[in-house]
Amino acid sequence: MFDYLFFDLDGTLTDPAQGITNSFIHALKYFGLEIPSYETLCTFIGPPLPDTFKTHFGFDEAKAAEGVKKYREYFATKGLLENSVYPGIPELLSGLKQAGKKLVVATSKPEEYSVRIIEHFGLAQYFENVCGSLMDESRSKKDEVIAYAIERNHISDKSKILMIGDRKHDILGAKKTGLKSCGVLYGYGSQEELESAGADYIVKDISQLHSILL
């Protein structure tokens, strides 16, 4: 049914919890703020960084930009690879590629970091390209990344694309750009979050995801 499969990165292809939470801790310590619980820190996985600093910590635009800078001090040197591929993902991607599907990474994470992660974990061979945000946080909203991925891959028929991700941002971004979407429950979003956002499909594990995609 779908020829092009757009995959979110964090919480969909890889589990980035250790690197992302440690990066937030590094930034929050710099500002002298109380460190939230690990569970709360994990809720920050997925949304664009400036949004989290502004909505959760009440930072203004300038302070949020400084927060992102401090976060990346840790992430760029250590947090990037404090990460692991979900079991079953390489096999899923290999099967999809063999079946003739075109696979694309569409993530709000900076493209520069995303390419390094995908290459480090040996996943680059499965993807046409990796589409992410820019280091200045432009093109960080999910619909902007998706629109960029559509343009970069010269896709004229949006009905042939499925966006796959674990958070509401993936689902809402797909809706805004006119795509169908699939939410995965093995990442960091809940059934309620994905249903409320209007996911066309919701799967509990990679086996179910395989069944839908093939």
Side-chain angles (χ1 to χ4, degrees), residues 17-183:
Q18 185 184 356
I20 288 179
T21 56
N22 284 341
S23 299
F24 269 110
I25 289 168
H26 176 80
L28 296 175
K29 280 182 176 176
Y30 169 79
F31 291 105
L33 295 174
E34 183 180 347
I35 307 301
S37 68
Y38 179 75
E39 289 72 24
T40 298
L41 288 169
C42 283
T43 66
F44 303 159
I45 298 172
L49 292 175
D51 291 2
T52 298
F53 281 115
K54 285 187 277 191
T55 59
H56 195 89
F57 299 101
F59 285 15
D60 61 20
E61 202 74 43
K63 195 172 180 182
E66 191 177 7
V68 170
K69 184 179 177 182
K70 287 296 168 185
Y71 172 100
R72 287 184 179 158
E73 278 183 356
Y74 184 94
F75 190 82
T77 56
K78 297 179 183 176
L80 187 73
L81 300 180
E82 290 178 336
N83 199 341
S84 59
V85 178
Y86 285 114
I89 283 293
E91 294 79 6
L92 171 71
L93 299 177
S94 176
L96 293 171
K97 191 168 176 68
Q98 287 175 17
K101 305 292 185 183
K102 301 289 187 184
L103 313 182
V104 175
V105 175
T107 174
S108 292
K109 186 183 288 299
E111 193 169 294
E112 179 181 321
Y113 293 156
S114 304
V115 168
R116 285 171 59 190
I117 292 166
I118 290 293
E119 289 178 347
H120 175 80
F121 289 111
L123 302 179
Q125 60 184 309
Y126 304 118
F127 291 98
E128 301 299 306
N129 41 58
V130 176
C131 300
S133 65
L134 299 172
M135 292 298 278
D136 65 0
E137 289 303 317
S138 60
R139 202 173 65 212
S140 65
K141 295 191 184 305
K142 203 61 187 234
D143 59 287
E144 295 170 341
V145 173
I146 292 172
Y148 162 60
I150 293 170
E151 181 182 1
R152 186 172 170 187
N153 289 278
H154 311 292
I155 305 169
S156 55
D157 186 354
K158 291 182 182 179
S159 70
K160 298 294 185 184
I161 309 170
L162 182 69
M163 178 71 218
I164 302 140
D166 68 313
R167 299 299 306 272
K168 65 182 180 182
H169 310 82
D170 303 303
I171 309 307
L172 296 172
K175 278 191 172 307
K176 195 166 181 180
T177 45
L179 306 189
K180 296 280 190 184
S181 62
C182 176

